[in-house]
């Protein structure tokens, strides 16, 4: 009799996620939790029954660039599948963006919103990308936009009506600059009451959006400014925008990403002239946190599929999950995911409090450093965990029509988009050096651990405090080092800070669990604490010379 392997399957994405439920129960007031849980449970079912098939259809039918109409007129139309359009509609109906701004639950609205985004993302074919930029644009307009922008764009960006719901693009990357936006070469020329933009944007995601936020240099000025662009006029025609091509990417196949030429594109100034980098930082805070939420969403999806498969696949005489080595591997992945989820949702809590003016000085300083850390740490873990998930399926994980390879291909963008790991590590270092964020960050850890009283957690607390001592010594020694010496170790420092901060969050969650007769958080925290939290020694010129020698191997001198 022929054998056919039963494929993995998953159910309601809220009901089956006990870690998410525990975090929300701990972080939310009981009244708020009871109010939003039925909605999350309903959405958790919709994600699998309705969104997942749409996502697979969109992935299988990537966008197509149609430069000309049948009569030779330049139209630069991007043709997308109906499934992609439906994912847009569902995002609007569910208020994935709007929930964070309606603020029905005050400071907890962001946590509610990110719980929905976390459920939405893995079955969205990366429609979460346009939503991230939409959310960031909404926050920028809320803080810096003109009355006209607030009346038109802001209302549409937050609409729960699919017919009026707008998304926003984000046009920063250029051939000259890349991650270094100071290299932006797009010029803004003043024409009457608006500006006209001239330049090439090398990488623009969500190019089917109704609007975009972009950087340009006002003619005659040195510093960058931020601009608001509506892509089309009243007749639906692109406003002096030429789509050169769609990008052929490793992953995110359903997401329209284009290279654009701006040739007199009308735009409006956002904020003050020459303050574009500062203004756009507000947008980056949102999009980087979205990036982290999408990373943990993929982690959970991959682990869920892998775990279900391990209970169905028999090898060497028993189910895979019954082999000690596989069990150990899966448990390690789960703990790494839980640490990232704790970190992401804690950042969402702080963001919600800050937007409502309820953060302490320590919490505000912590958030400034936590944003780059959570983005870089979860992104790297997301790629690593997705790779392990693919491997756990053996050959089936490498076959496209199982749908599994797209997990890894799509996850890879998360360590690149909104700043690579090195760029974000340097941003974290900048927050430490120029904004003095480290004292608040470290004090935040101390204060939260100070509230942990359970005797079984005291050993873990001591290990974290030792790690803090090591970090403080590094900061003290750093004052004697050159800027390049510090920059060289920025990634190691960022990872050490992230592991240590995550340890404090897991210990805090473990105590809550123990008080509520739930051992799972304690067991996960115990496993997390088995690793060395900080392994960092600042090395200078000699170390760089060693690196240069290593990379010189095999070249002709």
């Amino acid at each position: 009799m022929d054998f056919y392997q039963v494929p993995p399957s998953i159910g309601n994405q809220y009901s089956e996620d006990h870690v998410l439920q525990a975090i929300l129960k701990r972080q939310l007031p009981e009244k708020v939790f009871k109010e939003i849980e039925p909605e999350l449970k309903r959405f958790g079912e919709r994600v699998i029954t309705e969104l997942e098939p749409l996502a697979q259809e969109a992935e299988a039918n990537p966008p197509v660039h149609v430069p000309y109409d049948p009569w030779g007129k330049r139209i630069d139309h991007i043709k997308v599948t109906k499934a992609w359009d439906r994912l847009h509609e569902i995002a609007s109906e569910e208020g994935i963006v709007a929930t964070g701004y309606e603020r029905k639950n005050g400071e907890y609205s962001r946590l509610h919103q990110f719980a929905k985004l976390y459920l939405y993302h893995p079955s969205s074919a990366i429609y979460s990308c346009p939503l991230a930029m939409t959310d960031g644009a909404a926050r920028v307009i809320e803080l810096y936009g003109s009355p006209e922008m607030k009346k038109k764009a802001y209302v549409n960006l937050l609409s729960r009506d699919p017919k009026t719901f707008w998304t926003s693009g984000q046009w920063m990357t250029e051939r000259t600059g890349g991650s270094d936006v100071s290299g932006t070469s797009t010029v803004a020329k003043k024409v009457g009451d608006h500006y006209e933009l001239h330049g090439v944007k090398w990488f623009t995601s969500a190019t089917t959006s109704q609007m975009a936020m972009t950087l340009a240099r006002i003619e005659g000025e040195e510093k960058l400014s931020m601009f608001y662009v509506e892509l089309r006029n009243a007749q639906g025609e692109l406003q002096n925008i030429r789509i050169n091509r769609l990008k052929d990417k490793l992953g995110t196949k359903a997401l329209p990403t284009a290279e654009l030429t701006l040739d007199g594109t009308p735009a409006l100034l956002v904020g003050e002239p020459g303050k574009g980098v500062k203004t756009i930082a507000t947008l980056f805070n949102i999009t980087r946190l979205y990036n982290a939420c999408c990373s943990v969403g993929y982690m959970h999806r991959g682990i869920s599929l892998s775990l279900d498969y391990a209970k169905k696949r028999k090898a060497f005489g028993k189910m895979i999950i019954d082999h000690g080595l596989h069990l150990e591997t899966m448990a390690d992945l789960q703990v790494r995911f839980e640490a990232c989820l704790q970190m992401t949702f804690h950042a969402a809590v702080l963001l919600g409090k800050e937007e409502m003016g309820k953060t302490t000085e320590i919490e505000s300083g912590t958030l400034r450093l936590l944003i780059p850390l959570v983005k870089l740490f979860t992104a790297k873990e997301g790629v690593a965990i997705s790779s392990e998930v693919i491997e756990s399926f053996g050959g089936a994980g490498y076959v496209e029509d199982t749908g599994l390879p797209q997990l890894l291909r799509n996850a890879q963008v998360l360590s690149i988009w909104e700043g690579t790991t090195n760029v974000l590590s340097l941003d974290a270092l900048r927050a430490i050096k120029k904004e003095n964020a480290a004292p608040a960050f470290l004090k935040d850890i101390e204060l939260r651990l100070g509230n942990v009283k359970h005797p079984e957690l005291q050993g873990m607390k001591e290990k974290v405090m030792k790690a803090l001592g090591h970090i403080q010594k590094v900061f003290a020694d750093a004052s004697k080092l050159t800027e390049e010496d510090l920059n060289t170790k920025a990634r190691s420092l960022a990872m050490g800070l992230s592991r240590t901060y995550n340890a404090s969050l897991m210990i805090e969650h473990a105590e809550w669990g123990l008080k509520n007769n739930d051992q799972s958080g304690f067991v996960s925290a115990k496993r997390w604490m088995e690793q060395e939290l900080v392994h960092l020694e600042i090395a200078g010129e000699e170390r760089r010379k060693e690196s240069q020698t290593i990379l010189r191997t095999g070249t002709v001198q």
Side-chain angles (χ1 to χ4, degrees):
M1 184 176 178
D2 291 336
F3 170 79
Y4 298 99
Q5 177 60 48
V6 177
S9 61
I10 50 179
N12 186 304
Q13 289 299 278
Y14 176 79
S15 299
E16 293 185 355
D17 194 335
H18 304 297
V19 181
L20 171 64
Q21 293 171 38
I23 290 174
L24 294 178
K25 283 180 183 176
R26 179 170 68 87
Q27 294 280 14
L28 293 170
E30 185 177 0
K31 181 182 177 183
V32 175
F33 177 74
K34 287 182 177 180
E35 178 185 322
I36 70 172
E37 186 179 38
E39 176 192 350
L40 295 175
K41 193 175 293 184
R42 173 196 57 75
F43 189 48
E45 187 65 26
R46 189 181 191 188
V47 161
I48 294 302
T49 58
E50 185 177 355
L51 272 75
E52 184 61 25
L54 293 170
Q56 295 311 316
E57 182 181 341
E59 287 274 3
N61 297 277
V64 176
H65 176 212
V66 182
Y68 300 98
D69 75 3
W71 304 99
K73 181 183 177 182
R74 184 92 192 206
I75 56 172
D76 280 324
H77 174 62
I78 297 177
K79 184 179 179 182
V80 297
T81 180
K82 290 181 179 179
W84 183 254
D85 288 335
R86 183 62 187 139
L87 290 166
H88 167 93
E89 293 171 354
I90 292 171
S92 175
E93 293 165 1
E94 293 288 345
I96 303 296
V97 177
T99 299
Y101 292 85
E102 292 165 347
R103 301 188 174 113
K104 292 179 180 178
N105 291 309
E107 66 193 85
Y108 304 105
S109 297
R110 279 294 189 183
L111 186 57
H112 178 195
Q113 176 197 23
F114 275 82
K116 295 202 74 172
L117 173 66
Y118 167 76
L119 296 172
Y120 174 86
H121 165 73
S123 293
S124 74
I126 317 293
Y127 203 88
S128 48
C129 173
L131 298 185
M133 295 180 288
T134 299
D135 197 328
R139 184 60 176 158
V140 167
I141 292 174
E142 184 176 49
L143 293 176
Y144 304 107
S146 66
E148 291 75 22
M149 289 179 202
K150 292 178 180 178
K151 190 174 181 180
K152 183 180 182 182
Y154 184 74
V155 171
N156 288 327
L157 293 172
L158 304 183
S159 176
R160 285 180 178 261
D161 181 353
K163 294 178 181 178
T164 58
F165 177 51
W166 280 15
T167 55
S168 177
Q170 180 178 305
W171 304 347
M172 308 300 162
T173 308
E174 298 191 4
R175 291 177 298 204
T176 49
S179 296
D180 181 6
V181 296
S182 66
T184 296
S185 57
T186 298
V187 174
K189 298 181 179 180
K190 190 81 163 71
V191 180
D193 61 353
H194 68 281
Y195 290 83
E196 291 183 352
L197 306 182
H198 298 264
V200 175
K201 296 296 182 179
W202 191 80
F203 208 90
T204 66
S205 292
T207 317
T208 52
S209 294
Q210 290 81 3
M211 60 161 284
M213 290 290 186
T214 189
L215 291 176
R217 206 178 306 276
I218 295 175
E219 198 171 29
E221 294 194 10
E222 181 180 344
K223 294 186 176 180
L224 296 171
S225 299
M226 190 172 186
F227 293 90
Y228 161 89
V229 175
E230 289 187 19
L231 275 69
R232 294 167 180 80
N233 59 24
Q235 290 72 46
E237 299 169 329
L238 288 171
Q239 301 201 83
N240 300 328
I241 298 170
R242 184 167 66 253
I243 298 177
N244 302 331
R245 57 176 171 164
L246 289 180
K247 298 294 191 180
D248 186 8
K249 300 163 291 179
L250 171 67
T252 67
K253 298 290 188 179
L255 174 66
T257 305
E259 180 181 313
L260 307 178
T261 294
L262 311 180
D263 189 14
T265 304
L268 297 175
L269 181 68
V270 182
E272 297 179 41
K275 297 288 183 68
V277 174
K278 180 180 179 181
T279 307
I280 206 169
T282 298
L283 190 153
F284 283 159
N285 282 343
I286 303 295
T287 54
R288 286 171 177 172
L289 193 47
Y290 263 72
N291 200 98
C293 193
C294 293
S295 292
V296 292
Y298 265 150
M299 290 181 212
H300 179 256
R301 176 60 58 84
I303 291 170
S304 296
L305 288 166
S306 182
L307 189 56
D308 183 75
Y309 183 72
K311 296 173 182 176
K312 294 175 176 175
R313 177 66 175 174
K314 192 174 184 179
F316 306 107
K318 54 186 175 181
M319 294 299 175
I320 297 175
I321 196 62
D322 294 326
H323 289 277
L325 180 56
H326 193 77
L327 180 66
E328 182 79 0
T329 302
M330 293 303 301
D332 285 343
L333 296 183
Q334 176 68 17
V335 169
R336 288 160 64 186
F337 151 69
E338 289 182 23
C340 289
L341 189 64
Q342 294 280 3
M343 189 184 196
T344 301
F345 276 33
H346 184 72
V349 168
L350 293 184
L351 178 65
K353 292 181 72 174
E354 184 179 65
E355 290 181 345
M356 297 299 292
K358 293 189 176 182
T359 46
T360 65
E361 188 174 339
I362 289 175
E363 288 173 330
S364 293
T366 297
L367 185 61
R368 169 64 186 94
L369 182 51
L370 187 58
I371 289 290
L373 292 180
V374 71
K375 190 280 182 186
L376 70 88
F377 190 82
T378 58
K380 295 301 284 186
E381 284 288 76
V383 174
I385 288 174
S386 294
S387 180
E388 288 281 2
V389 164
I390 295 298
E391 186 178 342
S392 74
F393 285 92
Y398 204 68
V399 177
E400 281 290 350
D401 59 6
T402 63
L404 295 166
Q406 69 181 244
L407 283 173
L408 181 56
R409 286 190 281 102
N410 289 348
Q412 184 64 64
V413 77
L414 297 171
S415 63
I416 300 171
W417 190 59
E418 299 302 5
T420 62
T421 307
N422 283 357
V423 168
L424 270 293
S425 297
L426 293 172
D427 186 44
L429 189 59
R430 191 158 44 247
I432 291 169
K433 292 191 300 181
K434 296 186 177 180
E435 300 177 43
N436 199 31
F441 187 85
L442 301 180
K443 189 64 177 178
D444 178 75
I445 295 175
E446 292 178 9
L447 289 174
R448 284 184 296 97
L449 288 185
N451 295 323
V452 174
K453 306 298 182 184
H454 199 285
E456 290 193 66
L457 298 172
Q458 298 311 302
M460 297 185 198
K461 277 180 59 175
E462 289 175 11
K463 184 171 181 178
V464 174
M465 296 309 293
K466 286 182 180 178
L468 290 183
H470 189 157
I471 291 168
Q472 287 168 334
K473 184 178 184 301
V474 168
F475 288 156
D477 294 342
S479 61
K480 309 168 189 173
L481 300 171
T482 67
E483 184 174 359
E484 190 59 28
D485 290 341
L486 281 172
N487 289 350
T488 301
K489 280 298 180 180
R491 183 190 281 228
S492 296
L493 177 60
M495 291 299 181
L497 287 170
S498 298
R499 285 190 294 267
T500 303
Y501 199 82
N502 288 352
S504 72
L505 294 173
M506 294 190 80
I507 292 170
E508 187 178 39
H509 187 72
E511 174 154 278
W512 174 85
L514 291 172
K515 289 178 179 177
N516 289 275
N517 299 313
D518 181 356
Q519 288 273 330
S520 58
F522 169 73
V523 175
S524 293
K526 184 179 177 184
R527 179 69 65 94
W528 183 257
M529 296 302 295
E530 289 177 358
Q531 67 183 310
E532 185 180 0
L533 299 176
V534 181
H535 36 88
L536 174 69
E537 296 297 336
I538 300 290
E541 183 63 25
E542 183 179 346
R543 178 74 172 186
R544 286 196 295 280
K545 287 181 179 178
E546 287 179 1
S547 297
Q548 291 167 353
T549 300
I550 290 168
L551 295 176
R552 202 175 290 133
T553 302
T555 62
V556 178
Q557 302 302 310

